[in-house]
Amino acid sequence: MNCSFSKSKDVEADEDALAAFSPPKLLDEVKEKVLSFVQLQLSRKRKVVVVTSGGTAVPLEHKTVRFIDNFSTGTRGSAAAEYFLQAGYAVIFIHRRKTLMPFRRHLDKNGSKGLTILDMFQLHPESDGSQTLRVDQTQIPQLSSVLTAYQSVKDQEMLLCIEFITLCDYLHYLKVAAEAIHPLGRSAMVFLAAAVADFYVPGYALPEHKIQSANGPPVIHLRQVPKMLGNVAQQWAEVAFVVSFKLETDHSLLVKKAREALVKYKHQVVIANLLESRRTKLEVITVEDHCTLILSEEELNKGGEVEEKLVADLIQRHEQVFRVTWN
Amino acid sequence: MNCSFSKSKDVEADEDALAAFSPPKLLDEVKEKVLSFVQLQLSRKRKVVVVTSGGTAVPLEHKTVRFIDNFSTGTRGSAAAEYFLQAGYAVIFIHRRKTLMPFRRHLDKNGSKGLTILDMFQLHPESDGSQTLRVDQTQIPQLSSVLTAYQSVKDQEMLLCIEFITLCDYLHYLKVAAEAIHPLGRSAMVFLAAAVADFYVPGYALPEHKIQSANGPPVIHLRQVPKMLGNVAQQWAEVAFVVSFKLETDHSLLVKKAREALVKYKHQVVIANLLESRRTKLEVITVEDHCTLILSEEELNKGGEVEEKLVADLIQRHEQVFRVTWN
């Protein structure tokens, strides 16, 4: 694993770029929460992983009506967060609002077809004239393990959820979290599963009001989003184990681009996958090796998730770095 | 109310424009559902309202990763649908996937801050070793009326939910529903609360794969979306009572643009509002009159919704047209 490096000019330039995104209103509040969460985990000697999840919205107007987005539902991030928690990691879950959440995602699965979650509840009249709210007991096998796991995570204060909508909020919260885990040294991991926008419209170019149709079809000039991966891996969380993702729709570009990213940003792992097979096939690429994780059709039909294999693989790699460094 | 008109050239041109959006895979299935739902409501002599809700996504790539969207959560449409159902209307609810739904929205309100919905459930060990799933009984006052209303609507088959994601799906489903309510004559209403995109990228201009950052920041040339309001009001659902919405961020444009739309599309009502005050202040604008519906701070604090006033107002107007025509 490549853990030694010198700061490149690129990274410094990118830090300036973040300054161009004005800080979200809740930044101080979020920072305080994250810092005290990390203190708690330090005192309990837990490893901590920052999981980012969901897509980032890029506003096209100041008083935002329209924005550019991507089809990320947070499946990968929310599932991985759950497996990390199961393995004893504390999780800082930085997620796009209204995308999937660890544990709760199992309920949303039921309810995704609209109203069905309401069918789980029944009002039962009691003999004294009052009503009791009951739950459809056929839901038990599905919900009991989820509820048990959720309750345990909650009791042990192992999960901190931070919600964002825009690219700007995301970038600031990521910086806060990556810097906060510094005291944890090599026992921290950063798992960058969020689908971050590649392009945005800079603040000075945004129209004040809703774009008017009367003026004719607009032309949107996009600008490249600064890649913060370099900052995460080389500055903010420089001793942490950093995992990034590459999603492509074109197979010929997949492994090549993953390798390029590893060389450029000097982090530990790239997980590469195609849009079509993202639920069943992941390439785990490091500087030294390259392996493929596959979820078979049989496993998939039994409700298996490729994120379970991924998290197990990453934890093993994290252990190795951890041992090399501290033993 | 202006209900007589001749088809304009504009309308014919716009119908051609719809042909440019290739029909969704589920179109036939949706059509069948909508037609049999309308037959059922006819046999039960119910009025029917088509409610559209949520935003439409506009893809920026063929294998879609990125799209242009807007911040519509479906608050207006889902609330209005509920009040229409309460008033005895059957509802065809054409909504953006994962936006708010009638009845269920009250649960999502609880759960909007992430995980809290899971706290409603408790696993209770029974003396025989089994487990019962219980619900937090403090939720009763809030949930009982929602569940009672939902159950009644379900038993009476008064609600049909049709889900869309893209602009293209939305346009086709709207046409299907607007044409299907034709046999209902003047007892049908169309309530167009969806936040429809004004601009899109035509199919031939879409790149096949994900836009590559390496080629430099892209420029997106948008094209005006054909306004289907004219088709709804003058062709597909020509005798129905048609209500459209105007959302603006600039107050000086609001009423002026609403009046222009009424003249151009020859429908019955425009509801105009500002982004900032959309939950508390609505302008109801017809050819003959113009009134303002206001939800006071006191009403708002008690959990009141401006959609309750809006639906009551519209039903009264619909009654008047209905009577003028049939009595």
Side-chain angles (χ1 to χ4, degrees):
Chain A
M1 313 265 163
N2 187 334
C3 297
S4 68
F5 45 78
S6 60
K7 279 180 199 175
S8 69
K9 277 212 166 173
D10 272 6
V11 172
E12 280 161 39
D14 279 348
E15 178 125 57
D16 288 346
L18 179 57
F21 292 90
S22 48
K25 276 186 201 158
L26 296 175
L27 190 63
D28 288 343
E29 195 183 305
V30 166
K31 195 170 185 171
E32 205 171 305
K33 272 188 196 170
V34 172
L35 287 172
S36 80
F37 183 79
V38 169
Q39 278 309 312
L40 182 78
Q41 306 312 324
L42 262 174
S43 74
R44 301 199 178 163
K45 299 196 164 59
R46 282 195 196 115
K47 292 178 188 164
V48 174
V49 57
V50 175
V51 174
T52 69
S53 183
T56 60
V58 170
L60 295 177
E61 294 138 343
H62 263 299
K63 295 190 177 180
T64 300
V65 173
R66 299 191 184 85
F67 57 96
I68 297 181
D69 208 344
N70 60 61
F71 280 110
S72 172
T73 55
T75 304
R76 179 92 72 222
S78 61
E82 224 178 280
Y83 291 114
F84 275 119
L85 288 163
Q86 224 169 70
Y89 277 69
V91 174
I92 300 172
F93 187 64
I94 303 179
H95 66 284
R96 168 69 179 270
R97 196 177 177 190
K98 292 200 177 171
T99 55
L100 294 173
M101 305 280 291
F103 308 113
R104 194 192 151 157
R105 68 195 181 106
H106 303 280
L107 267 186
D108 292 326
K109 228 182 260 172
N110 282 340
S112 67
K113 297 245 171 229
L115 294 164
T116 47
I117 199 175
L118 285 174
D119 293 318
M120 284 179 58
F121 298 96
Q122 288 131 14
L123 276 171
H124 190 81
E126 299 293 337
S127 53
D128 65 354
S130 71
Q131 284 187 311
T132 323
L133 203 53
R134 293 200 180 170
V135 198
D136 179 2
Q137 296 300 318
T138 59
Q139 305 289 339
I140 282 256
Q142 208 182 340
L143 269 184
S144 66
S145 63
V146 174
L147 285 175
T148 307
Y150 166 66
Q151 200 55 55
S152 154
V153 162
K154 200 180 150 193
D155 293 345
Q156 295 181 74
E157 301 173 276
M158 290 172 72
L159 175 60
L160 177 68
C161 296
I162 307 289
E163 154 180 310
F164 67 84
I165 296 178
T166 62
L167 169 68
C168 176
D169 295 357
Y170 166 81
L171 292 175
H172 281 282
Y173 295 158
L174 175 61
K175 185 181 179 190
V176 160
E179 287 181 337
I181 55 174
H182 193 264
L184 290 152
R186 297 216 179 279
S187 63
M189 195 192 293
V190 182
F191 181 92
L192 299 164
V196 184
D198 293 309
F199 308 109
Y200 75 111
V201 184
Y204 62 80
L206 289 178
E208 178 66 18
H209 289 293
K210 189 180 162 195
I211 304 166
Q212 289 302 323
S213 340
N215 308 335
V219 178
I220 301 172
H221 294 268
L222 296 172
R223 196 166 155 170
Q224 189 100 29
V225 171
K227 284 266 182 242
M228 296 293 172
L229 182 51
N231 300 76
V232 173
Q234 297 170 51
Q235 278 186 297
W236 303 337
E238 57 172 326
V239 290
F241 186 83
V242 177
V243 182
S244 77
F245 284 80
K246 271 264 162 224
L247 169 73
E248 291 296 333
T249 56
D250 185 348
H251 190 263
S252 65
L253 292 170
L254 193 128
V255 179
K256 181 177 160 285
K257 294 198 67 166
R259 290 269 180 212
E260 283 171 10
L262 273 176
V263 170
K264 184 166 180 187
Y265 302 111
K266 306 184 196 306
H267 61 302
Q268 284 68 43
V269 182
V270 172
I271 313 298
N273 63 277
L274 288 177
L275 187 60
E276 295 82 357
S277 56
R278 67 195 183 283
R279 302 273 175 261
T280 51
K281 193 177 171 189
L282 300 177
E283 314 277 343
V284 182
I285 304 165
T286 70
V287 173
E288 292 109 18
D289 61 14
H290 170 189
C291 74
T292 308
L293 302 175
I294 290 176
L295 191 75
S296 70
E297 218 176 293
E298 200 192 331
E299 290 171 313
L300 188 68
N301 293 338
K302 281 182 184 161
E305 294 178 313
V306 75
E307 288 78 14
E308 184 169 7
K309 297 186 185 215
L310 175 60
V311 168
D313 181 286
L314 291 175
I315 288 177
Q316 208 176 8
R317 290 174 196 272
H318 191 203
E319 283 279 315
Q320 280 163 11
V321 187
F322 197 66
R323 265 197 231 113
V324 168
T325 321
W326 299 111
N327 289 357
Chain B
M1 312 264 166
N2 187 336
C3 295
S4 69
F5 44 80
S6 61
K7 279 179 200 174
S8 70
K9 275 210 166 174
D10 273 6
V11 173
E12 279 161 39
D14 279 348
E15 176 124 60
D16 288 347
L18 180 58
F21 292 91
S22 47
K25 275 187 200 157
L26 296 175
L27 189 62
D28 288 342
E29 195 183 304
V30 166
K31 196 170 185 170
E32 207 172 303
K33 272 189 197 169
V34 171
L35 288 172
S36 79
F37 183 78
V38 169
Q39 278 309 310
L40 182 77
Q41 307 312 324
L42 262 174
S43 74
R44 300 198 177 164
K45 301 197 164 57
R46 280 195 196 115
K47 292 178 187 162
V48 174
V49 59
V50 175
V51 175
T52 70
S53 183
T56 60
V58 170
L60 295 178
E61 294 138 343
H62 264 298
K63 295 188 178 182
T64 299
V65 173
R66 299 190 184 87
F67 57 96
I68 298 181
D69 207 343
N70 61 62
F71 282 111
S72 171
T73 54
T75 304
R76 179 91 75 221
S78 62
E82 223 178 281
Y83 291 114
F84 276 119
L85 288 163
Q86 223 169 71
Y89 277 69
V91 174
I92 300 172
F93 187 63
I94 303 180
H95 65 284
R96 168 68 179 271
R97 195 176 178 192
K98 294 200 176 171
T99 54
L100 294 172
M101 306 280 291
F103 309 113
R104 194 193 147 154
R105 67 194 181 105
H106 302 281
L107 268 186
D108 291 326
K109 228 182 262 173
N110 282 340
S112 66
K113 296 245 169 228
L115 294 165
T116 46
I117 199 175
L118 285 173
D119 292 317
M120 284 180 57
F121 297 97
Q122 289 132 12
L123 276 172
H124 189 81
E126 298 292 336
S127 52
D128 65 355
S130 72
Q131 284 187 311
T132 323
L133 203 52
R134 292 199 181 170
V135 197
D136 179 1
Q137 296 300 319
T138 60
Q139 304 288 336
I140 282 255
Q142 207 182 342
L143 269 184
S144 66
S145 63
V146 174
L147 284 175
T148 307
Y150 166 66
Q151 200 56 54
S152 154
V153 161
K154 200 180 152 196
D155 292 345
Q156 295 181 73
E157 300 174 276
M158 290 173 72
L159 174 60
L160 177 67
C161 296
I162 307 288
E163 152 180 312
F164 67 85
I165 296 178
T166 63
L167 169 68
C168 176
D169 295 357
Y170 165 81
L171 292 175
H172 280 282
Y173 294 158
L174 175 61
K175 185 182 181 193
V176 160
E179 288 182 336
I181 55 174
H182 193 263
L184 290 152
R186 297 216 179 280
S187 63
M189 195 192 291
V190 183
F191 181 93
L192 299 165
V196 184
D198 293 309
F199 308 108
Y200 75 112
V201 184
Y204 63 80
L206 289 177
E208 179 66 19
H209 290 294
K210 188 179 162 194
I211 304 166
Q212 288 302 323
S213 340
N215 308 334
V219 177
I220 302 172
H221 293 268
L222 296 172
R223 196 166 153 170
Q224 188 101 29
V225 171
K227 285 268 181 244
M228 296 294 171
L229 182 52
N231 300 75
V232 173
Q234 296 170 52
Q235 278 186 300
W236 303 337
E238 58 172 324
V239 290
F241 187 83
V242 177
V243 181
S244 77
F245 284 79
K246 271 266 163 225
L247 169 74
E248 292 296 335
T249 55
D250 184 348
H251 190 263
S252 66
L253 292 169
L254 193 128
V255 179
K256 181 177 162 284
K257 295 197 69 169
R259 291 267 181 212
E260 282 171 9
L262 274 177
V263 170
K264 183 166 180 190
Y265 302 112
K266 305 183 197 309
H267 61 302
Q268 283 68 44
V269 182
V270 172
I271 312 299
N273 63 276
L274 287 176
L275 187 61
E276 294 82 356
S277 56
R278 67 195 183 282
R279 302 274 175 260
T280 51
K281 192 176 171 190
L282 300 176
E283 315 277 343
V284 182
I285 304 164
T286 71
V287 172
E288 293 110 17
D289 60 15
H290 170 189
C291 74
T292 308
L293 302 176
I294 290 176
L295 191 74
S296 70
E297 218 176 294
E298 199 192 332
E299 290 171 313
L300 188 69
N301 292 339
K302 281 182 184 162
E305 294 178 313
V306 74
E307 288 77 15
E308 184 168 8
K309 298 185 185 217
L310 174 60
V311 168
D313 181 285
L314 291 175
I315 289 177
Q316 209 176 8
R317 291 174 194 272
H318 191 203
E319 284 279 316
Q320 280 163 10
V321 187
F322 197 67
R323 264 195 230 116
V324 169
T325 320
W326 299 110
N327 288 355

